[in-house]
Amino acid sequence: MTKVIDHINNSSKTLFSFEILPPVKGQGIQDLFSEIEPLMEFNPSFIDVTYHREEYVYKKKADGLLERKSVKKRPGTVGICAAIMNRFKIDAVPHIVCGGFTKEDTENALIDLNFLGIDNVLALRGDAIKTEPTFVPERDGNHYASDLIKQVVQMNNGLYLDDDIENPHPTNFCIGVAGYPEKHFEAPNMTTDLKHLKMKVDMGAEYIVTQMFFDNKKYFEFLERCRANGINVPIIPGLKPITTKKQVTNLSRVFHIDIPEGLSEAIEKCKNNAEAKEVGIKWAIEQSKELMQKGAPVLHYYSMSRSSSIRAIAEALF
Ligand code: FAD
């Protein structure tokens, strides 16, 4: 299959891609396929599939005491990537994270991906477990996304953790990473965050996908600062059409991003979610048009596995 960087390098126009979430545990894959299907006519170049680490839930036992259980609510990232590639003949990009993985777990996951013919990964640190205040890596796990990139690059060079392996097979992963036009929330300032982003690129990341943003000015400023700091790989804008009234506050809180006044005021005036969705689509189309005009390599949409807004946007643009 084709690497994301080759899709970009082989195209003279802005490409279309989107991100989906694995279904909640216990659900089949059919609903997800039904959401992806209507987007196929717009020729997406690749589909990202998120990874969701374990979280702790508390279950009441018969004796009334609470039992803490670790659960993965959305397992199946690798299987879904393989299923998408098989069904739609399109590249799937699994997200891989440091959190919850020892280096050996990561190595084994990368071996599975390699066997499946998946040559793309988006390498991330991942967030802290929901009930914990800060991110804690596994013992003998990777701490930062840059450490994870180092491990993938080593495997691309045929270096496995066990150096006794005879004739090790080199993998061939194209590595993407996350970037934050409004700064990662833990970074003390943009300068420090960009230093860490540059580290990821210097370690071998071939492109960057941004956190969602609703004001293109933030993306253009970020692009400029990246270039001034010697970060020269393609920077793919990530866009999320607002679909409900509540998202104005929720997205801002969860993703540490600003919602421009014009957008929050327009959503506030909406009588219901159907109206909010229309405002969200219009806003995303305007953002997309400008980004396209100014030569964004790909427009990458956070679909949250719901395709109707993304379809309306794609109809207007691709
Ligand atoms: P890093 O690049 O490791 O950075 C994390 C923080 O540490 C930053 O503040 C950085 O400045 C700092 N830092 C980096 N290196 C160093 C160093 N050497 N020393 C000191 N500080 C350092 N999360 C998921 O769980 N699953 C997903 O599928 C997922 N997909 C995502 C897709 C995109 C496009 C984006 C933008 C985010 C995604 N996330 C996902 C969220 C992501 O995991 C979190 O934002 C996480 O908090 C940071 O991940 P990172 O890879 O950017 O981390």
Side-chain angles (χ1 to χ4, degrees):
M1 300 296 278
T2 309
K3 295 177 171 193
V4 169
I5 194 65
D6 293 331
H7 279 294
I8 294 173
N9 289 340
N10 296 337
S11 175
S12 53
K13 59 183 180 49
T14 302
L15 300 173
F16 167 56
S17 68
F18 58 92
E19 177 190 284
I20 54 124
L21 279 61
V24 173
K25 189 183 256 182
Q27 302 303 304
I29 201 165
Q30 199 48 52
D31 285 355
L32 182 59
F33 281 165
S34 306
E35 291 295 331
I36 295 176
E37 195 86 59
L39 300 176
M40 282 302 113
E41 68 176 275
F42 306 104
N43 292 321
S45 299
F46 53 93
I47 300 175
D48 274 51
V49 183
T50 54
Y51 182 85
H52 299 259
R53 68 174 303 179
E54 74 281 11
E55 35 187 293
Y56 292 118
V57 293
Y58 291 86
K59 296 230 163 168
K60 209 171 196 176
K61 294 195 294 180
D63 59 10
L65 293 176
L66 289 177
E67 182 186 21
R68 192 171 88 147
K69 280 193 135 188
S70 165
V71 287
K72 273 192 187 162
K73 290 191 176 165
R74 292 180 185 271
T77 302
V78 174
I80 287 168
C81 286
I84 287 174
M85 286 172 58
N86 185 39
R87 166 121 177 182
F88 298 107
K89 311 288 175 246
I90 179 175
D91 288 299
V93 182
H95 291 189
I96 57 170
V97 301
C98 304
F101 280 72
T102 64
K103 285 186 186 161
E104 198 193 350
D105 294 335
T106 297
E107 184 171 274
N108 293 339
L110 292 170
I111 288 171
D112 279 344
L113 294 175
N114 183 250
F115 286 165
L116 288 165
I118 297 173
D119 289 335
N120 289 294
V121 288
L122 192 79
L124 303 144
R125 185 195 68 179
D127 282 320
I129 291 182
K130 275 190 186 140
T131 42
E132 293 182 354
T134 53
F135 176 83
V136 182
E138 290 302 292
R139 267 175 66 136
D140 194 27
N142 291 306
H143 191 152
Y144 293 108
S146 52
D147 303 320
L148 179 56
I149 296 162
K150 185 174 168 199
Q151 186 177 2
V152 182
V153 169
Q154 280 177 338
M155 281 183 67
N156 280 350
N157 291 322
L159 291 172
Y160 287 69
L161 296 172
D162 179 355
D163 53 17
D164 286 344
I165 296 175
E166 279 181 31
N167 299 323
H169 166 76
T171 55
N172 189 22
F173 291 107
C174 166
I175 307 167
V177 289
Y180 302 84
E182 299 180 58
K183 186 180 86 59
H184 184 260
F185 71 103
E186 291 168 28
N189 51 57
M190 195 52 138
T191 305
T192 310
D193 208 22
L194 287 177
K195 193 178 88 185
H196 296 141
L197 181 56
K198 179 153 181 352
M199 204 187 286
K200 295 197 274 194
V201 173
D202 291 345
M203 294 297 287
E206 292 180 78
Y207 67 96
I208 296 164
V209 183
T210 75
Q211 182 58 280
M212 64 182 75
F213 57 88
F214 292 89
D215 178 355
N216 284 353
K217 209 166 140 242
K218 310 246 171 165
Y219 170 81
F220 295 125
E221 280 170 9
F222 178 67
L223 191 65
E224 205 172 297
R225 284 194 73 170
C226 283
R227 300 308 184 225
N229 280 276
I231 299 169
N232 293 314
V233 295
I235 302 181
I236 299 175
L239 299 169
K240 157 96 184 88
I242 286 194
T243 50
T244 65
K245 290 194 75 172
K246 265 196 190 155
Q247 280 178 353
V248 169
T249 42
N250 287 353
L251 295 176
S252 186
R253 178 172 47 79
V254 173
F255 297 104
H256 309 273
I257 49 161
D258 269 0
I259 306 289
E261 280 166 30
L263 178 57
S264 65
E265 280 164 11
I267 297 278
E268 212 169 293
K269 283 188 200 137
C270 294
K271 288 196 236 23
N272 50 42
N273 284 340
E275 285 186 17
K277 191 170 163 183
E278 285 311 308
V279 170
I281 290 170
K282 279 203 188 109
W283 190 274
I285 290 175
E286 288 313 307
Q287 273 193 281
S288 302
K289 277 186 180 160
E290 190 187 17
L291 290 161
M292 243 177 177
Q293 270 163 16
K294 298 207 172 158
V298 183
L299 296 181
H300 185 70
Y301 295 94
Y302 296 110
S303 79
M304 312 254 178
S305 299
R306 291 280 167 263
S307 61
S308 61
S309 292
I310 312 295
R311 189 181 154 85
I313 297 163
E315 265 174 345
L317 296 160
F318 293 98

